[in-house]
Amino acid sequence: MSAQAPITRITAPRIAARKGGTPIVALTAYTAPMAAMVDAHADLILVGDSLGMVVHGLPSTIGVTLDMMILHGQAVMRGSARAMVVIDMPFGSYEESPRQAFHNAARLMAETGCGAVKLEGGARMAETIRFLVERGIPVMGHVGLTPQATNTMGGFKTQGRDQASWPAHIGDAQAVASAGAFSLVVEGVMEGLADQITEAVAIPTIGIGASAGCDGQILVLDDMLGLSGRVPRFVRKFGDLGPRAEDAIAAYAAAVRDRSFPAPDQTYR
Ligand code: KIV
């Protein structure tokens, strides 16, 4: 009898060990079927709070709740088997205190089985990140353009346009890394700043609208598949599924109206 090795998921230490190595492939997914497609190709699947805008039609990520993240996190875990799954902590679920963050991160981990949580913020979140990591919760950081802070930033604005601000951004990244985060999303920053952040921290940086010099890249799946309407300039559409889906829907509607669907072989006789 041959014993088959169980399929094990990629873990936080394995992602951390990729610093300076083969770039980490990361994508978002919010549902089981999408997670299954991504799982074969990506090292890491992020159940991003972008799901509030992409799936639920919210104007920003501010209205996303912990229960929404848990529901989508469970679906993504069911749909995948190999990639590490990281779930975003939504706005209001971690900023108040390290204890609040632990309570809600523990719910995310226990109720979904995900491998880590992600939270936004630099030096101001360092104490919270340390608190979580010391208690067994792997944390991915997120600096630069942090969408949950767009109300204070005045919109989705590229960070680091003024080079005088770079030391503060680099300090934020270093604070997150020193606090014990295993990796760091660097979003919407000038390319040179992303490169300097990548050099300044010992954990992998995962860029989005940042630099090819980061230790990995992430995109919102729906954006790169061409399923979203307008996308930021930094998104490359690797597919054009939106128009193709609309064509299929229009063809179905026409077939229903002219009674060519269902055809005889599509009915039970
Ligand atoms: O919510 C999200 O999808 C994200 C990625 C864009 C990094 O945070």
Side-chain angles (χ1 to χ4, degrees):
M1 201 176 82
S2 71
Q4 242 188 339
I7 299 169
T8 49
R9 282 184 190 271
I10 295 172
T11 58
R14 273 180 66 191
I15 296 290
R18 298 272 293 272
K19 178 73 185 175
T22 308
I24 296 160
V25 178
L27 278 169
T28 65
Y30 316 124
T31 64
M34 288 299 201
M37 272 193 261
V38 172
D39 195 43
H41 304 279
D43 303 301
L44 191 148
I45 301 176
L46 174 69
V47 186
D49 62 354
S50 50
L51 64 82
M53 300 164 79
V54 177
V55 177
H56 295 274
L58 292 171
S60 74
T61 57
I62 301 298
V64 175
T65 66
L66 197 68
D67 287 336
M68 286 162 79
M69 298 310 298
I70 289 171
L71 199 65
H72 286 280
Q74 289 168 336
V76 167
M77 285 297 291
R78 282 186 216 111
S80 61
R82 203 195 120 264
M84 175 173 197
V85 174
V86 179
I87 303 185
D88 256 340
M89 299 201 69
F91 179 71
S93 72
Y94 63 95
E95 301 90 331
E96 199 176 322
S97 68
R99 290 174 72 87
Q100 182 214 20
F102 180 79
H103 178 82
N104 289 325
R107 264 197 76 195
L108 280 178
M109 303 275 300
E111 293 183 33
T112 67
C114 70
V117 300
K118 175 165 84 60
L119 56 83
E120 296 182 6
R124 70 185 167 85
M125 292 316 302
E127 186 194 347
T128 294
I129 294 170
R130 186 168 292 110
F131 193 88
L132 297 184
V133 174
E134 282 172 352
R135 286 159 183 77
I137 298 180
V139 178
M140 172 184 264
H142 185 155
V143 296
L145 194 170
T146 47
Q148 291 174 12
T150 46
N151 285 323
T152 45
M153 283 179 168
F156 290 83
K157 290 199 172 130
T158 306
Q159 299 296 296
R161 285 197 186 279
D162 176 5
Q163 217 157 322
S165 70
W166 287 19
H169 287 293
I170 294 167
D172 274 338
Q174 287 173 322
V176 169
S178 304
F182 71 94
S183 64
L184 180 63
V185 168
V186 180
E187 178 168 359
V189 303
M190 301 299 282
E191 186 184 41
L193 173 57
D195 290 341
Q196 287 199 14
I197 289 175
T198 299
E199 259 178 49
V201 297
I203 56 173
T205 55
I206 301 183
I208 172 164
S211 166
C214 289
D215 300 296
Q217 302 295 327
I218 185 161
L219 281 176
V220 170
L221 181 65
D222 299 62
D223 290 352
M224 62 84 88
L225 289 178
L227 283 168
S228 316
R230 268 187 64 212
V231 294
R233 194 170 74 90
F234 60 77
V235 174
R236 187 195 298 176
K237 288 189 182 177
F238 287 82
D240 197 18
L241 302 194
R244 288 175 61 185
E246 274 195 55
D247 287 350
I249 294 164
Y252 163 74
V256 169
R257 289 192 187 108
D258 70 15
R259 295 193 189 279
S260 63
F261 175 81
D265 63 337
Q266 285 148 350
T267 57
Y268 295 104
R269 286 156 184 259

